[in-house]
Amino acid sequence: MAAVDEKWPSRQKVDAATMNRASYAPIQTLANPPSVRATGMTNDNVTGQTPIVWKTMSPLGGFTTQDRINFKPPVSGMYWVTLTATMTTPANWDGLTDTGTLLVQVGTSAGASSQTVLKGFTSTKVKGSYQAAHTSGLMFLNGQQSIWTSIQGYGGTWTKAKTGNPEESLSAFSAVLIAPDATS
């Protein structure tokens, strides 16, 4: 859904249909933008890079997925994307010399092509603690791409955090359209 990209000369009369396409249609899209929220990472143990499979997802405005890994946006545009994953540090850490990090990534894929766009990692490393890796930023998505998330643990086996909190509150992914007329 793109607005009209027209240059209007000074004092030109503009009809209602042109004004509607240029102003009303984009505002309607942003009043209830396409978005997706996925929660509850199902990955139990992480060592190498692996796709994140989400337990639940709430799509609005046409987002689709077949595997809860790859999410296809309904329209092209600029999306605000966030990803947080919480894991427990590896048991073999001593807190001083044996350490590592938890890395999360968000990327796009279209056919056989895949590209990482956002990355985030843990900056604090405390033995036996829960660590959250987070990233967020703007991503342009076109109608042929899907968006994916992955997690990678370095320095041992990272395990899903086992707390009294529901897992949906510890790890989440979201994408929301903020500029429907954006182009790459």
Side-chain angles (χ1 to χ4, degrees):
M1 155 141 310
V4 175
D5 186 19
E6 296 183 34
K7 305 275 189 249
W8 296 335
S10 179
R11 298 183 185 200
Q12 174 187 346
K13 291 185 179 181
V14 180
D15 62 23
T18 304
M19 287 299 292
N20 186 38
R21 286 193 319 265
S23 60
Y24 179 75
I27 291 170
Q28 287 300 101
T29 299
L30 291 176
N32 190 15
S35 64
V36 65
R37 177 165 168 78
T39 60
M41 185 173 61
T42 63
N43 307 62
D44 288 327
N45 298 311
V46 175
T47 52
Q49 183 174 349
T50 184
I52 297 176
V53 181
W54 297 100
K55 183 177 178 183
T56 65
M57 70 165 268
S58 302
L60 295 171
F63 260 91
T64 59
T65 184
Q66 293 181 355
D67 53 10
R68 291 176 291 136
I69 296 173
N70 296 292
F71 299 90
K72 190 164 175 74
V75 296
S76 299
M78 190 68 68
Y79 288 78
W80 176 253
V81 178
T82 64
L83 170 62
T84 300
T86 304
M87 303 290 277
T88 303
T89 57
N92 65 322
W93 280 16
D94 65 9
L96 300 172
T97 57
D98 281 338
T99 62
T101 195
L102 186 65
L103 172 73
V104 292
Q105 300 178 100
V106 180
T108 61
S109 60
S113 174
S114 184
Q115 174 181 346
T116 300
V117 179
L118 302 171
K119 291 184 179 184
F121 61 94
T122 57
S123 58
T124 305
K125 299 166 181 96
V126 179
K127 178 182 178 181
S129 68
Y130 303 124
Q131 301 291 302
H134 175 78
T135 189
S136 61
L138 296 171
M139 290 179 69
F140 177 80
L141 299 172
N142 66 40
Q144 306 306 313
Q145 294 174 310
S146 60
I147 187 169
W148 53 264
T149 58
S150 73
I151 189 167
Q152 185 168 0
Y154 293 97
T157 302
W158 292 74
T159 57
K160 186 187 295 186
K162 309 255 190 291
T163 70
N165 296 331
E167 60 189 49
E168 290 83 0
S169 70
L170 299 174
S171 300
F173 158 71
S174 66
V176 63
L177 179 67
I178 62 168
D181 294 333
T183 57
S184 61

